[in-house]
RNA sequence: UGUCCGAUAGUAUAAGGGUAGUACGACAGUUUUUGGUACUGUUUGUCUUGGUUCGAAUCCAGGUCGGACAACCA
């Protein structure tokens, strides 16, 4: 690696470990629990783990941390795999913590045999009480000094299904007075007579996270086990199990999780939004889930770029949504096919235009290297234009239409506003213009110059579509930090549906998964709800608006 | 009244004893048949108090502030 590029702290650790010969091959893992859909915070972890092995060689495993049968589903396994691949990464091995249930059980038996684990028949409440508090030590109970034989026997009975859920648990025997609460004889196995999505009914005891994660890392020879800050205090336990078991010493490193403004990131809260119907599903375009971003029209490249830009560090952070928006605009600016669509239409009549069947040529993307080719755009006497592009009494520095003002119609002619029509309520219903035939785009000999260019769609050629405009899901910067229920801070205007938007004919051929720029209006993509005769577009993000009207 | 983690412009992130830099944002301008893009410029920062040192964002000590830790969740 070059010395010029600054490294984050994890890259530094890895470079040192590789240089010193501590490890020959870098092995990382991405270890989601299959209990929900992946979100942009996971994307950060995915890009980190997979990115590291792309950078330094080695490989990354996908391991599902499926030790709690009651929360996990195959549906989630599938969606999580799809999301990782969509982001552009491929794991070396697809693994499951549940693959190691036999081995993990063996480790537990080993611990018992070493006098380092015991079966505790206390209730959950008793155990919590005996645990003490962060400032007061815990107290050992009478089960702590059971004989190895008795523990072995009891644990076998637990495994055999002789006990009801909650009747007893297996605990590691460490230190009830430790300043680290997690070291106060943590529970390592609990009884759950539950059906597991992969092991079915083979087990009725399941290992806890702390007893499964480090050992799973170790079994897979993970060299650098990267997780978020909330696991810092688990590291002592992680190391303790590995040391007592004498197995491959994987090492855990923690970085700060991603927080994004105007949204929530916890699976629990996202699940609530889904379950309570506050969003249309995990892939609602307003959701910070990877599937939501995908449906919204974000590209994998833009999400990866975002993850690259936010950096990796150990301090708490709250990233501005504007950075994510910058990343998708930057990507789509290069890729998106330009087209014209009028979201809030008003009719413009070119009173002196008598042509019929004129076809104009539009460049598809001035920002692409090959300009994206061209397309045909039908023109006619009557057009739809954007209501906001006309002002009866123009503001200062108004470049668009107003009585007496001239603008260019994109790809077409310069027109001058002569008149407008109002209805009984005083709303402008029609704008009358004259055009300058010699000002045709590409062959303008008129000598006229105008400051404004507006988009339009020919009324008789226009197709229609539904357009969904999205805004931030929450109206406060950090819903997590607010008092009370986070759902009280949902933005009531996060979704606006425009049922009849006029689009140029070329847009009728829009395909799923491609980005379009509706000129001057933003980036859009076809939604999966679309059918051949009912097109639905999502607005990915608006264009940056420099107009300070 | 504990232990652990952290603190650099508005937001992130560099600088590992030697000129505090970069990006996003904001603001201003140039270019422009998208008030977009591109380009240029401006703006604002080392939590605090001491110490070590010729020299401290960096090392040390105390303080302050923020976060994590008492699920048979992960």
């Amino acid at each position: 690696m070059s010395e010029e590029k600054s490294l984050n702290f994890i890259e530094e650790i890895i470079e040192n470990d590789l240089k010193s010969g501590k490890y020959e091959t870098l092995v990382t893992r991405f270890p989601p629990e299959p209990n929900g859909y992946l979100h942009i915070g996971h994307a950060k972890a995915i890009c980190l783990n997979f990115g590291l092995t792309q950078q330094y060689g080695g490989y990354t495993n996908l391991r599902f941390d499926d030790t709690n049968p009651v929360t996990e589903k195959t549906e989630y396994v599938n969606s999580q795999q799809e999301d990782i691949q969509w982001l552009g990464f491929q794991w070396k091995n697809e693994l499951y913590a549940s693959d190691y249930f036999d081995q993990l059980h063996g480790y537990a038996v080993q611990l018992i045999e070493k006098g380092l684990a015991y079966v505790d028949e206390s209730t959950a409440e008793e155990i919590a009480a005996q645990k003490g508090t962060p400032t007061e030590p815990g107290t050992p109970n009478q089960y702590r000094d059971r004989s190895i034989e008795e523990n072995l026997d009891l644990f076998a009975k637990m495994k055999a299904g002789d006990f009801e859920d909650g009747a007893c648990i297996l605990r590691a025997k460490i230190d009830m007075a430790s300043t680290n609460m997690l070291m106060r004889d943590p529970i390592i196995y609990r009884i759950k007579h539950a059906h597991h999505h992969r092991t079915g009914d083979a087990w009725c005891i399941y290992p806890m996270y702390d007893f499964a994660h480090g050992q799973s890392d170790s079994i897979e020879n993970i060299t650098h086990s990267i997780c978020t800050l909330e696991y810092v205090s688990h590291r002592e336990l992680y190391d303790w199990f590995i040391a007592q078991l004498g197995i491959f010493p994987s090492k855990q490193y923690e970085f700060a999780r991603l927080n994004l403004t105007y949204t929530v990131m916890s699976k629990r809260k996202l699940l609530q939004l889904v379950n309570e119907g506050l969003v249309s599903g995990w892939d609602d375009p307003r959701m910070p889930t990877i599937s939501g971003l995908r449906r919204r029209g974000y590209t994998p490249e833009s999400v990866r770029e975002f993850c690259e830009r936010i950096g990796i560090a150990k301090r708490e952070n709250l990233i501005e949504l504007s950075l994510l928006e910058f990343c998708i605009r930057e990507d789509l600016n290069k890729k998106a096919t330009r087209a014209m669509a009028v979201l809030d239409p008003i009719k413009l009549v070119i009173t002196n235009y008598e042509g019929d069947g004129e076809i104009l040529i539009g460049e598809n993307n001035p920002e692409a290297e090959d300009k994206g080719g061209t397309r045909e755009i039908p023109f006619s006497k009557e057009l739809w234009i954007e209501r906001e592009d006309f002002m009866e009494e123009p503001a200062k520095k108004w470049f668009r239409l107003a009585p007496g003002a001239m603008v260019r119609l994109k790809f077409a002619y310069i027109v001058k506003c002569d008149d407008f029509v109002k209805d009984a309520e005083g709303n402008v219903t029609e704008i009358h213009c004259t055009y300058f035939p010699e000002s045709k785009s590409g062959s303008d000999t008129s000598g006229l110059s105008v400051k404004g260019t507006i988009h339009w769609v020919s009324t008789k050629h226009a197709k229609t579509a539904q357009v969904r405009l999205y805004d931030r899901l929450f109206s406060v910067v950090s819903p997590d930090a607010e008092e009370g229920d986070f759902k009280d801070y949902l933005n009531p205007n996060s979704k606006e549906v425009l049922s009849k938007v006029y689009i140029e004919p070329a847009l009728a051929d829009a395909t799923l998964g491609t980005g379009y720029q509706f000129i001057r209006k933003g980036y859009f993509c076809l939604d999966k709800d679309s059918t051949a005769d009912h097109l639905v577009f999502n607005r990915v993000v608006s264009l940056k608006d420099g107009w300070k009207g």
Side-chain angles (χ1 to χ4, degrees):
Chain A
M1 269 287 109
S2 75
E3 308 277 42
E4 285 101 66
K5 191 198 169 249
S6 63
L7 304 174
N8 64 48
F9 77 99
I10 292 175
E11 290 170 324
E12 283 185 21
I13 290 166
I14 288 173
E15 287 203 3
N16 287 335
D17 287 349
L18 256 22
K19 208 180 302 170
S20 73
K22 186 172 177 184
Y23 304 108
E24 274 177 26
T25 308
L26 175 65
V27 186
T28 62
R29 103 266 92 118
F30 176 64
E33 182 188 12
N35 69 343
Y37 280 63
L38 263 19
H39 55 62
I40 182 91
H42 293 108
K44 178 180 181 181
I46 291 167
C47 291
L48 213 211
N49 279 293
F50 285 92
L52 250 12
T53 51
Q54 284 180 350
Q55 203 178 144
Y56 295 104
Y59 59 89
T60 302
N61 286 342
L62 169 60
R63 183 179 69 240
F64 291 98
D65 224 335
D66 56 349
T67 57
N68 185 357
V70 304
T71 57
E72 295 149 8
K73 289 196 240 170
T74 304
E75 174 200 350
Y76 297 132
V77 169
N78 296 335
S79 79
Q80 293 182 350
Q81 293 192 8
E82 186 187 353
D83 289 346
I84 296 165
Q85 287 173 321
W86 176 78
L87 266 178
F89 297 104
Q90 186 55 55
W91 49 90
K92 164 106 168 193
N93 303 113
E94 176 185 332
L95 302 164
Y96 296 78
S98 54
D99 292 341
Y100 311 133
F101 279 173
D102 278 314
Q103 207 164 344
L104 260 11
H105 172 261
Y107 288 151
V109 171
Q110 275 182 48
L111 244 34
I112 295 172
E113 286 169 342
K114 289 179 73 176
L116 294 173
Y118 61 99
V119 172
D120 191 328
E121 291 164 57
S122 308
T123 64
E125 294 70 31
E126 286 164 346
I127 287 175
Q130 292 158 6
K131 204 135 202 178
T133 70
T135 53
E136 297 162 305
T139 48
N141 64 27
Q142 72 270 31
Y143 304 110
R144 199 168 195 267
D145 296 314
R146 271 205 233 265
S147 70
I148 290 173
E149 292 65 33
E150 193 181 355
N151 281 316
L152 249 15
D153 178 56
L154 255 16
F155 188 49
K157 285 183 170 140
M158 281 171 63
K159 178 173 185 270
D162 291 357
F163 299 113
E164 295 296 305
D165 287 9
C168 52
I169 42 94
L170 184 70
R171 303 176 75 170
K173 189 170 173 179
I174 307 179
D175 177 9
M176 288 303 288
S178 172
T179 53
N180 183 349
M181 302 276 301
L182 287 162
M183 299 298 280
R184 320 240 265 225
D185 290 8
I187 294 169
I188 59 180
Y189 260 95
R190 78 285 215 189
I191 300 168
K192 273 182 194 281
H193 291 273
H195 189 82
H196 186 278
H197 75 115
R198 296 189 82 237
T199 60
D201 299 312
W203 294 87
C204 62
I205 55 170
Y206 292 92
M208 297 287 288
Y209 164 84
D210 284 302
F211 197 69
H213 202 98
Q215 287 93 314
S216 299
D217 285 341
S218 181
I219 290 166
E220 295 172 21
N221 286 312
I222 302 298
T223 55
H224 301 259
S225 176
I226 302 165
C227 60
T228 48
L229 248 26
E230 60 264 38
Y231 292 97
V232 169
S233 54
H234 292 251
R235 190 175 59 231
E236 190 179 358
L237 227 201
Y238 182 106
D239 291 338
W240 190 87
F241 286 129
I242 284 177
Q244 298 306 325
L245 263 10
I247 55 181
F248 180 83
S250 297
K251 288 292 177 189
Q252 176 183 300
Y253 301 95
E254 312 87 10
F255 68 97
R257 66 185 303 154
L258 165 69
N259 295 293
L260 243 197
T261 56
Y262 301 105
T263 193
V264 293
M265 211 68 95
S266 87
K267 264 190 219 167
R268 196 192 103 244
K269 289 177 178 169
L270 295 175
L271 180 64
Q272 251 185 83
L273 295 176
V274 172
N275 285 347
E276 296 177 27
L278 297 165
V279 294
S280 66
W282 285 101
D283 69 346
D284 185 297
R286 294 166 294 180
M287 291 281 271
T289 50
I290 294 176
S291 51
L293 292 168
R294 177 167 60 231
R295 184 168 175 190
R296 175 75 169 261
Y298 275 80
T299 59
E301 292 79 8
S302 68
V303 177
R304 278 190 258 126
E305 175 66 16
F306 173 75
C307 292
E308 192 66 38
R309 282 172 179 266
I310 57 179
I312 301 294
K314 297 187 76 160
R315 80 183 81 118
E316 308 283 337
N317 60 78
L318 180 62
I319 308 285
E320 291 175 346
L321 192 60
S322 61
L323 183 62
L324 220 207
E325 294 181 337
F326 166 81
C327 291
I328 187 59
R329 285 193 187 107
E330 182 189 45
D331 193 39
L332 254 20
N333 179 49
K334 293 179 302 201
K335 297 175 181 167
T337 297
R338 270 59 174 175
M340 295 195 287
V342 176
L343 273 44
D344 182 17
I346 183 172
K347 188 178 284 185
L348 180 147
V349 180
I350 305 173
T351 52
N352 65 337
Y353 185 83
E354 300 305 335
D356 188 31
E358 183 174 6
I359 300 292
L360 301 170
I361 301 301
E363 192 176 58
N364 284 338
N365 185 358
E367 302 301 324
E369 303 88 67
D370 62 352
K371 304 295 179 198
T374 57
R375 66 186 186 286
E376 299 186 334
I377 311 168
F379 187 75
S380 67
K381 185 184 179 78
E382 292 193 357
L383 312 174
W384 295 117
I385 66 165
E386 215 69 62
R387 182 173 295 275
E388 63 175 16
D389 283 338
F390 175 80
M391 259 186 123
E392 186 180 344
E393 290 170 37
K396 57 288 155 206
K397 288 203 172 171
W398 179 254
F399 298 163
R400 288 118 88 162
L401 273 179
M406 292 191 293
V407 294
R408 173 174 293 281
L409 297 170
K410 182 77 180 172
F411 304 124
Y413 303 90
I414 291 175
V415 293
K416 179 178 183 185
C417 173
D418 303 312
D419 198 9
F420 58 93
V421 180
K422 278 186 175 179
D423 64 14
E425 284 87 51
N427 301 310
V428 177
T429 54
E430 213 171 279
I431 297 165
H432 292 177
C433 291
T434 45
Y435 87 116
F436 299 89
E438 64 284 8
S439 68
K440 184 169 178 174
S441 187
S443 54
D444 186 344
T445 57
S446 69
L448 297 170
S449 99
V450 293
K451 299 276 274 193
T453 299
I454 64 171
H455 60 282
W456 51 272
V457 176
S458 164
T459 57
K460 77 175 170 198
H461 302 94
K463 306 266 194 258
T464 60
Q466 182 188 98
V467 167
R468 299 172 182 170
L469 305 179
Y470 301 103
D471 195 0
R472 45 189 62 151
L473 225 201
F474 289 86
S475 47
V476 294
V477 174
S478 185
D480 291 319
E482 297 292 334
E483 303 274 311
D485 190 345
F486 76 101
K487 298 191 294 301
D488 294 343
Y489 301 93
L490 279 163
N491 174 7
N493 307 313
S494 61
K495 180 178 182 180
E496 184 184 353
V497 177
L498 307 177
S499 52
K500 196 176 184 190
V501 161
Y502 293 109
I503 60 175
E504 66 166 88
L507 235 21
D509 301 323
T511 53
L512 230 38
T514 29
Y516 298 89
Q517 186 195 93
F518 290 1
I519 293 175
R520 302 208 303 136
K521 297 311 293 181
Y523 294 102
F524 293 78
C525 70
L526 203 62
D527 187 81
K528 68 175 188 185
D529 287 348
S530 281
T531 59
D533 51 351
H534 184 244
L535 297 175
V536 179
F537 287 93
N538 294 318
R539 183 174 67 190
V540 188
V541 68
S542 65
L543 252 31
K544 211 174 139 185
D545 191 1
W547 165 240
K548 302 290 184 294

